[in-house]
């Protein structure tokens, strides 16, 4: 039997990992409650009878409350992410389109994913993943901005509305803001499908310990990753 | 032409009692959305503040806002016109017409330069040098700019003046824009609505005439006391929304029972207006009360947010009428199928590659 000698690379701090799983939970809740808010229906066992609707636990207002609570959890989890970002180089694997490695890596992965190159170079995080995470952070921020723009208007004199309210005018009108929020929610879900697939694929075909890395924080490589510069100077 | 005087002067001249004058002031206080403790302020303003000369221009529009305005009941539009302002020029209500009226406009502009209030109804078409709306032989954009120069403040009456309105809806062939898009350096009050609520129009005019200053505005220039809340937050059907009880079709039992109109397209959650609290025709009713969803008539660009009776717009897909959720479900399904297939192919390739490398490795050994 062939023995594989690997080196252990500590990539993610505990803070990034906590953030990631909090975010996963929050987004799952946000997406389900959000779709309900966009197209609600009566959930209840009492029969559709106004007199009893007040005691309906799964009412629109409860579900909106859950949406907003999950939104606050998502926002709060970013504190962990930022802390990790400050603490550790491995938590700072951003897309770096100004480097040559980013583009050669992109080509490498593109050929690999279209079955034209059977093996790709080892990376701590490949260029496509980097670009994808950049994109999903962008979408989450867009959800947060449009979300708080709508949420703040519950009280148009609140400080929340003073900060985010102008967004409603910037994007034509508040109705458009609802629609952007709704469309981007779907785009995040499309990202998640690809992301979960790619993570599973990498986990199964490459022995770097891809998925477990988001629990343990470490990855295993038998060759030095090309983007090692992002971890060690 | 009479000289400017105050409301109280006018009441006295007409032998209307002090009692009636005070009653009018109480009504005004309520309409302006002021607290009862400010009644004395309103009274003293009505005693001293001279009546304001008003010029009312009409651009690219349907005169629907005039129809609303003349139906104002508290205060009566006739009271506003005859007693509370001195309406110097309004082409649709004026007895005179043609040359003499246009001549009068020039005189008024000179006489009250810097003092008159300008109310504008209608959008400003800019395409083809503005020839799509002509008044008195000149383009509306020309007239507007000329009259705006000497105005103390400008009120954009209705969604057309405030946002561009129906003529600015896609594809906007006349390139119509709002008044504030062509006039700058002036205080502009937006009073949107298609049409605005009658009492809101008269209320804004009266606030200015009584206080000599504009009412508090929000970041978009709309008076806060009338446009400070969403219809949704003042709607009497809100308990049904919060309970999750919705009208599904216009003829179902829920619609007869008066449940929330959210799913048949109600734009109340995004629309700022006073329909929920002041209602229309002296508090008689408002669209939602009559069973019709709000179409967001006071919102910017609302005409393009169609269809009005759907909560979400359709997404242009050939040969299908679909919204974002339907497109999303299909896209997510297709993507899932795609990654499964990609996964299967990857496994095959991986196995093959593994075999090859294994063989070469064995050769090397
Ligand atoms: C990834 C994160 C999120 C997803 C997937 C998501 C999803 C959704 C969806 C699909 C809707 C329905 C949109 C509509 O048709 O009107 C919605 C509504 C809403 N979301 Fe989110 N959302 C997210 C984050 C947030 C955040 C951070 C906030 C901030 C407070 C927020 C606040 C709202 C509000 C205020 C509404 C409108 C509720 C209403 O009109 O009653 N959302 N969300
Ligand atoms: C709502 C769903 C999800 C979202 C929005 C999401 C988003 C992200 C983001 C933004 C990162 C980059 C973290 C960073 O360095 O800043 C990441 C990494 C990662 N995620 Fe997710 N994720 C989701 C669900 C999942 C699930 C269900 C899994 C498990 C299969 C997973 C596995 C991973 C792994 C293994 C990484 C590390 C990738 C690497 O080493 O480059 N994610 N995810
Ligand atoms: S009818 Fe419209 S404004 Fe009233 S509660 Fe329902 S969605 Fe809101
Ligand atoms: S309910 Fe909505 S559409 Fe109807 S008048 Fe009021 S703002 Fe306009």
């Amino acid at each position: 039997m062939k023995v594989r000698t690997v080196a252990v690379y500590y990539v993610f701090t505990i803070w990034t990992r906590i953030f990631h799983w909090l975010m996963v939970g929050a987004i799952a809740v946000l997406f389900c409650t959000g779709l309900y808010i966009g197209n609600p229906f009566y959930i209840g066992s009492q029969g559709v009878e106004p007199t009893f609707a007040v005691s309906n636990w799964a009412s629109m207002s409860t579900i909106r409350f859950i949406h907003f609570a999950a939104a606050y959890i998502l926002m709060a989890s970013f504190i962990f992410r930022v802390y990790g970002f400050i603490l550790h180089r491995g938590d700072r694997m951003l897309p770096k389109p100004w480097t040559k490695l980013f583009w050669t890596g992109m080509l490498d992965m593109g050929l690999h994913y279209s079955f034209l190159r059977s093996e790709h170079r080892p990376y701590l995080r490949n260029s496509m993943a980097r670009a994808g995470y950049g994109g999903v952070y962008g979408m989450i921020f867009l959800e947060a901005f449009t979300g708080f723009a709508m949420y703040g208007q519950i009280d148009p004199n609140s400080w929340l509305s003073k900060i985010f309210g102008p967004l409603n005018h910037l994007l034509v009108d508040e109705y458009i803001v609802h629609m952007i929020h709704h469309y981007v929610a779907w785009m995040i879900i499309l990202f998640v499908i690809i992301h979960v697939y790619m993570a599973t694929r990498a986990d199964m075909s490459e022995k770097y310990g891809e998925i477990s890395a988001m629990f343990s924080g470490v990855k295993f490589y038998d060759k030095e990753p090309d983007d090692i510069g992002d971890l060690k100077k | 032409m009479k000289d400017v005087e105050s409301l109280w002067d006018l009441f006295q001249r007409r032998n209307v009692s002090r009692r009636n004058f005070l009653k009018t002031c109480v009504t005004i206080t309520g309409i302006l959305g002021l607290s009862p403790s400010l009644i004395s302020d309103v009274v003293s303003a009505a005693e001293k503040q001279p009546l304001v000369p008003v010029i009312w221009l009409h651009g690219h529009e349907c005169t629907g806002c005039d129809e609303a305005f003349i139906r104002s009941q508290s205060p009566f539009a006739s009271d506003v016109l005859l007693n509370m302002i001195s309406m110097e020029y309004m082409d649709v209500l004026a007895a005179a017409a043609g040359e003499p009226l246009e001549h009068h406009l020039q005189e008024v502009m000179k006489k009250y330069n810097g003092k008159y209030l300008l109310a504008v109804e209608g959008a400003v078409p800019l395409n083809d040098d503005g020839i799509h709306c002509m008044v008195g032989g000149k383009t509306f954009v020309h007239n507007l700019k000329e009259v705006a120069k000497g105005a103390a403040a400008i009120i954009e009456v209705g969604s057309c003046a405030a946002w561009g309105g129906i003529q600015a809806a896609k594809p906007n062939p006349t390139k119509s824009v709002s008044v504030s898009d062509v006039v700058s350096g002036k205080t502009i009050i937006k009073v949107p609505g298609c049409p605005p609520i009658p009492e809101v129009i008269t209320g804004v005019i009266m606030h200015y005439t009584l206080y000599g200053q504009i009412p508090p505005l929000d970041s978009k220039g709309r008076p806060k006391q009338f446009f400070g809340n969403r219809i949704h937050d003042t709607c009497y059907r809100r308990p049904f929304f919060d309970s999750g009880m919705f009208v599904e079709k216009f003829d179902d039992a829920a619609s007869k029972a008066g449940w929330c109109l959210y799913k048949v397209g109600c734009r109340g959650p995004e629309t700022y207006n006073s329909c929920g609290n002041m209602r229309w025709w002296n508090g008689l009713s408002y669209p939602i009360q009559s069973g019709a969803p709000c179409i967001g008539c006071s919102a910017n660009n609302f005409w393009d947010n169609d269809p009005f009776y759907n909560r979400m717009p359709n997404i242009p897909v050939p040969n299908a009428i679909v919204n974002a959720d339907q497109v999303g479900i299909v896209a997510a399904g297709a993507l899932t199928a795609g990654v499964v297939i990609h996964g299967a192919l990857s496994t095959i390739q991986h196995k093959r590659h593994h075999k090859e490398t294994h063989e070469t490795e064995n050769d090397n050994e």
Side-chain angles (χ1 to χ4, degrees):
Chain A
M1 214 187 99
K2 208 172 150 268
V3 181
R4 185 168 162 258
T5 42
V6 292
V8 180
Y9 296 82
Y10 174 57
V11 196
F12 303 122
T13 58
I14 181 77
W15 308 113
T16 298
R17 288 176 266 147
I18 293 178
F19 155 75
H20 183 269
W21 296 114
L22 274 178
M23 167 179 68
V24 172
I27 290 184
V29 172
L30 283 163
F31 183 67
C32 297
T33 52
L35 281 198
Y36 176 84
I37 294 168
N39 187 17
F41 45 88
Y42 186 76
I43 313 172
S45 54
Q46 308 92 333
V48 190
E49 189 47 65
T51 322
F52 303 113
V54 277
S55 50
N56 177 18
W57 59 272
S59 64
M60 181 74 155
S61 75
T62 316
I63 288 169
R64 286 175 77 237
F65 175 79
I66 296 171
H67 192 82
F68 304 146
Y72 277 115
I73 291 174
L74 180 66
M75 293 300 104
S77 72
F78 268 96
I79 297 168
F80 292 113
R81 184 71 192 84
V82 172
Y83 188 57
F85 189 90
I86 295 167
L87 221 57
H88 179 62
R89 286 176 72 84
D91 287 352
R92 280 175 238 161
M93 294 192 291
L94 304 168
K96 292 176 177 165
W98 57 91
T99 61
K100 190 169 156 243
L101 179 63
F102 180 83
W103 295 106
T104 56
M106 196 65 114
L107 182 68
D108 187 24
M109 293 313 293
L111 291 173
H112 177 63
Y113 286 145
S114 49
F115 307 114
L116 296 172
R117 190 175 275 181
S118 49
E119 211 172 7
H120 67 82
R121 304 274 315 148
Y123 305 100
L124 289 169
R125 176 175 288 168
N126 71 60
S127 304
M128 272 197 189
R130 285 169 189 247
Y133 299 150
V136 82
Y137 277 121
M139 291 194 279
I140 292 172
F141 282 125
L142 202 58
E143 285 300 84
F145 274 109
T146 53
F148 280 110
M150 296 184 281
Y151 183 65
Q153 293 305 103
I154 291 171
D155 176 4
N157 290 317
S158 61
W159 60 269
L160 204 61
S161 155
K162 293 224 162 58
I163 299 172
F164 294 105
L167 198 71
N168 291 320
H169 305 308
L170 215 66
L171 302 171
V172 184
D173 204 62
E174 208 167 313
Y175 181 72
I176 307 294
V177 174
H178 275 262
M179 290 311 119
I180 294 173
H181 195 80
H182 202 116
Y183 296 169
V184 174
W186 274 108
M187 288 193 258
I188 290 177
I189 293 313
L190 299 186
F191 161 86
V192 170
I193 294 172
I194 301 177
H195 172 62
V196 172
Y197 165 65
M198 288 303 183
T200 316
R201 183 186 190 277
D203 197 71
M204 283 161 56
S205 60
E206 294 141 17
K207 300 281 177 263
Y208 306 145
E210 178 76 6
I211 293 184
S212 62
M214 246 319 146
F215 293 98
S216 63
V218 294
K219 292 195 182 189
F220 310 94
Y221 291 88
D222 44 9
K223 294 184 213 115
E224 174 139 296
D226 282 5
D227 51 354
I228 189 67
D230 280 351
L231 197 56
K232 299 188 182 114
K233 261 192 235 147
Chain B
M1 203 178 300
K2 59 184 187 293
D3 265 312
V4 283
E5 52 188 339
S6 78
L7 186 61
W8 175 229
D9 294 337
L10 207 93
F11 270 66
Q12 280 174 307
R13 194 146 60 79
R14 300 222 177 134
N15 294 324
V16 186
S17 69
R18 176 76 182 171
R19 182 181 166 81
N20 265 332
F21 170 72
L22 291 176
K23 270 161 94 178
T24 308
C25 290
V26 172
T27 313
I28 293 171
T29 315
I31 284 296
L32 294 182
L34 303 172
S35 90
S37 60
L38 290 173
I39 289 174
S40 56
D41 288 6
V42 172
V43 172
S44 69
E47 280 167 349
K48 292 182 212 111
Q49 200 69 33
L51 298 181
V52 176
V54 177
I55 296 177
W56 190 305
L57 293 183
H58 291 84
H60 221 194
E61 47 107 19
C62 72
T63 63
C65 297
D66 298 311
E67 293 288 343
F69 172 69
I70 59 176
R71 282 162 182 77
S72 175
Q73 295 183 47
S74 45
F76 275 110
S78 51
D79 274 347
V80 175
L81 282 176
L82 303 174
N83 300 345
M84 297 177 188
I85 57 176
S86 65
M87 180 67 87
E88 295 291 347
Y89 175 92
M90 186 189 205
D91 37 7
V92 296
L93 293 183
E99 293 268 308
L101 187 65
E102 297 308 314
H103 182 70
H104 177 64
L105 174 62
Q106 297 299 330
E107 278 186 353
V108 173
M109 279 165 56
K110 243 179 262 148
K111 184 168 175 205
Y112 298 114
N113 190 19
K115 293 201 199 83
Y116 57 84
L117 185 64
L118 171 60
V120 188
E121 191 182 326
V124 192
L126 297 179
N127 237 2
D128 306 317
D129 299 322
I131 58 158
H132 296 285
C133 183
M134 309 282 289
V135 181
K138 294 188 207 113
T139 62
F140 178 59
V141 57
H142 170 271
N143 292 352
L144 173 65
K145 281 184 178 160
E146 195 183 278
V147 183
K149 249 182 255 158
I154 301 175
I155 304 181
E156 296 174 326
V157 182
S159 287
C160 299
W163 315 114
I166 191 164
Q167 41 281 310
K170 277 185 204 113
N172 194 357
T174 57
K175 200 164 172 280
S176 287
V177 296
S178 72
V179 170
S180 28
D181 283 333
V182 291
V183 175
S184 52
K186 289 281 167 191
T187 314
I188 297 182
I189 312 168
K190 277 192 190 322
V191 185
C194 192
I197 299 175
E199 285 76 18
V200 170
I201 308 179
T202 46
V204 172
I205 295 176
M206 285 196 339
H207 188 109
Y208 185 80
T209 52
L210 283 177
Y211 285 102
Q213 59 188 35
I214 58 164
L217 305 178
D218 69 6
S219 62
K220 236 352 199 186
R222 297 171 293 194
K224 274 188 185 168
Q225 73 253 51
F226 300 119
F227 297 93
N229 277 306
R230 297 189 275 208
I231 309 268
H232 192 50
D233 293 325
T234 48
C235 177
Y236 78 102
R237 297 195 185 205
R238 182 61 185 268
F240 291 108
F241 175 89
D242 285 338
S243 308
M245 303 166 82
F246 302 99
V247 172
E248 301 280 344
K249 282 197 261 120
F250 283 113
D251 56 356
D252 65 5
S255 87
K256 294 198 178 77
W259 293 4
C260 168
L261 298 161
Y262 184 69
K263 289 185 78 176
V264 285
C266 186
R267 303 284 192 262
E270 299 91 20
T271 306
Y272 296 79
N273 209 337
S274 296
C275 303
N277 37 14
M278 285 174 64
R279 311 200 180 184
W280 285 72
W281 319 130
N282 215 15
L284 176 68
S285 180
Y286 73 118
I288 291 167
Q289 193 174 343
S290 314
C294 169
I295 60 171
C297 78
S298 54
N300 186 7
N301 206 35
F302 77 99
W303 291 105
D304 289 336
N305 296 337
D306 62 322
F308 291 146
Y309 298 140
N310 285 350
R311 157 95 179 99
M312 270 190 286
N314 296 323
I315 290 182
V317 174
N319 301 323
I321 299 174
V322 286
N323 66 22
D325 285 351
Q326 288 151 331
V327 171
I329 286 171
V330 172
L335 198 59
T336 311
V339 298
V340 168
I341 295 168
H342 194 272
L345 294 175
S346 301
T347 315
I348 296 170
Q349 190 193 33
H350 184 68
K351 285 218 174 105
R352 260 196 216 152
H353 174 68
H354 221 66
K355 233 178 174 178
E356 274 167 31
T357 42
H358 230 67
E359 275 159 15
T360 44
E361 270 168 12
N362 285 346
D363 289 349
N364 291 346
E365 268 166 22

